[in-house]
Amino acid sequence: MKKVSFAEFGGPDVLQLIDAEEPHAGPGRIRIAVRAAGVNPVDWRIREGQVLGAHPTVLPSGVGLDASGVVDEVGEGVEGVKVGDHVFGEGDSTYAEFAVLSAWARMPEGLTFEEAAGYPSVVETALRIIREVGVRPGQTLLASGASGGVGSAVLQIARERGITVIGTAGAANQDYLRGLGALATTYGEGWVERVRQLGRVDAALDLSGSGVIRELVELTGDPRKVISIADLGAPEFGVRFSGVAGSVPDALAEATDLISRGRLHIPVEKSYTLAEAVAAHIDSRTGHSRGRRVIVV
């Protein structure tokens, strides 16, 4: 089978499309014929060799955590899913023609494989950081770098829970944020004052790692009210870096419910082939996305 792999840490050029042995579903796992794989910032962070405790890497390594596809092997002890089912979920080395998943759910009706691949890690992360930052209904949450996949999920989940969200993004994405129910403003010079004009900030999330931790602490008045998923230097300011996933099955169940009720939709901004994985990582590294990027197999 074809698979994207890297044998050394480094820039996107270390990625190679190789012929590899097919993986197989062990106990408690399923294997899918991959139809699409989500492109997440954690993918290039791992490829660069960043120290992420939740994702120890043994070289050579495959790439990718999220995928959607058709079940073609069911491991021992697995119930409630059969060969031929359409599922989305999380596993490892998902930039490939076949991948083993450790957590999965049936795809909601009407969702394409391409769309489904963009949800698993994104929704788990959004649910986790909303919980960890402790924001409650009636309060206001600031999401810095809000137009990407996690930001799109945060805005919609917070709205569903009665939380007001102020979102920062580039000028081209202001209407997109407003369409998801956020109070929107641009980043760049003067952004702190623009946020203040929109209202009091009870908690804040750093989603893009753009060097704004100090300002987020200033806006909330307490480093304990700020969470970052993108700035490994956040603890220097007393801010928690959140990088260890919670329950992916629970997140998939909540995502399925929200999607099925029309309360959550994350658009696919751009699709790539397996042979275009380098371009996918370059684009993901630059940010400025609106929704998700995925690899179509």
Side-chain angles (χ1 to χ4, degrees), residues 151-228:
S152 299
V154 163
L155 299 189
Q156 294 173 79
I157 292 168
R159 179 188 62 192
E160 181 75 0
R161 295 181 176 186
I163 297 164
T164 298
V165 182
I166 298 172
T168 67
N173 288 325
Q174 297 297 292
D175 287 343
Y176 174 70
L177 296 190
R178 294 187 185 103
L180 297 182
L183 302 172
T185 190
T186 54
Y187 44 65
E189 186 176 351
W191 74 270
V192 171
E193 188 54 39
R194 290 195 294 275
V195 167
R196 285 201 173 105
Q197 291 173 3
L198 292 173
R200 170 183 170 176
V201 175
D202 297 295
L205 302 173
D206 167 38
L207 307 179
S208 61
S210 56
V212 297
I213 298 297
R214 188 188 304 275
E215 289 85 353
L216 296 182
V217 172
E218 177 187 335
L219 284 163
T220 61
D222 187 344
R224 294 172 298 180
K225 295 180 180 178
V226 181
I227 295 285
S228 177

Side-chain angles (χ1 to χ4, degrees), residues 252-265:
L252 291 171
E254 186 152 356
T256 299
D257 175 64
L258 290 168
I259 294 165
S260 299
R261 292 192 290 112
R263 305 302 294 169
L264 177 63
H265 173 70

Side-chain angles (χ1 to χ4, degrees), residues 3-284:
K3 168 185 175 180
V4 177
S5 177
F6 61 99
E8 60 181 317
F9 296 117
D13 57 310
V14 302
L15 296 178
Q16 301 289 328
L17 183 60
I18 64 170
D19 290 310
E21 292 186 9
E22 294 181 6
H24 294 284
R29 302 288 190 266
I30 64 171
R31 187 179 84 164
I32 62 170
V34 177
R35 295 291 183 264
V39 177
N40 297 301
V42 70
D43 299 342
W44 52 259
R45 289 180 182 276
I46 292 171
R47 187 211 70 227
E48 288 181 350
Q50 295 187 26
V51 180
L52 305 173
H55 301 285
T57 304
V58 177
L59 298 175
S61 174
V63 189
L65 299 175
D66 292 351
S68 63
V70 180
V71 178
D72 80 337
E73 283 185 7
V74 177
E76 181 182 351
V78 173
E79 298 179 351
V81 66
K82 64 184 185 302
V83 171
D85 283 350
H86 293 187
V87 300
F88 67 133
E90 188 174 284
D92 61 76
S93 302
T94 58
Y95 293 19
E97 293 178 326
F98 294 92
V100 172
L101 301 185
S102 54
W104 61 87
R106 282 193 176 85
M107 283 170 44
E109 197 72 30
L111 209 61
T112 67
F113 287 115
E114 192 174 353
E115 292 169 331
Y119 283 93
S121 293
V122 158
V123 175
E124 186 284 318
T125 301
L127 290 168
R128 167 169 33 96
I129 59 180
I130 289 172
R131 180 182 69 250
E132 289 176 350
V133 82
V135 64
R136 301 185 301 276
Q139 292 187 321
T140 297
L141 174 66
L142 170 61
S144 175
S147 65
V150 173
S152 299
V154 163
L155 299 189
Q156 294 173 79
I157 292 168
R159 179 188 62 192
E160 181 75 0
R161 295 181 176 186
I163 297 164
T164 298
V165 182
I166 298 172
T168 67
N173 288 325
Q174 297 297 292
D175 287 343
Y176 174 70
L177 296 190
R178 294 187 185 103
L180 297 182
L183 302 172
T185 190
T186 54
Y187 44 65
E189 186 176 351
W191 74 270
V192 171
E193 188 54 39
R194 290 195 294 275
V195 167
R196 285 201 173 105
Q197 291 173 3
L198 292 173
R200 170 183 170 176
V201 175
D202 297 295
L205 302 173
D206 167 38
L207 307 179
S208 61
S210 56
V212 297
I213 298 297
R214 188 188 304 275
E215 289 85 353
L216 296 182
V217 172
E218 177 187 335
L219 284 163
T220 61
D222 187 344
R224 294 172 298 180
K225 295 180 180 178
V226 181
I227 295 285
S228 177
I229 62 168
D231 190 335
L232 292 172
E236 297 173 14
F237 298 90
V239 168
R240 178 174 177 181
F241 179 87
S242 182
V244 179
S247 172
V248 178
D250 288 351
L252 291 171
E254 186 152 356
T256 299
D257 175 64
L258 290 168
I259 294 165
S260 299
R261 292 192 290 112
R263 305 302 294 169
L264 177 63
H265 173 70
I266 304 175
V268 175
E269 179 184 55
K270 189 172 181 180
S271 300
Y272 308 80
T273 65
L274 284 173
E276 296 170 326
V278 169
H281 276 215
I282 291 172
D283 290 349
S284 178

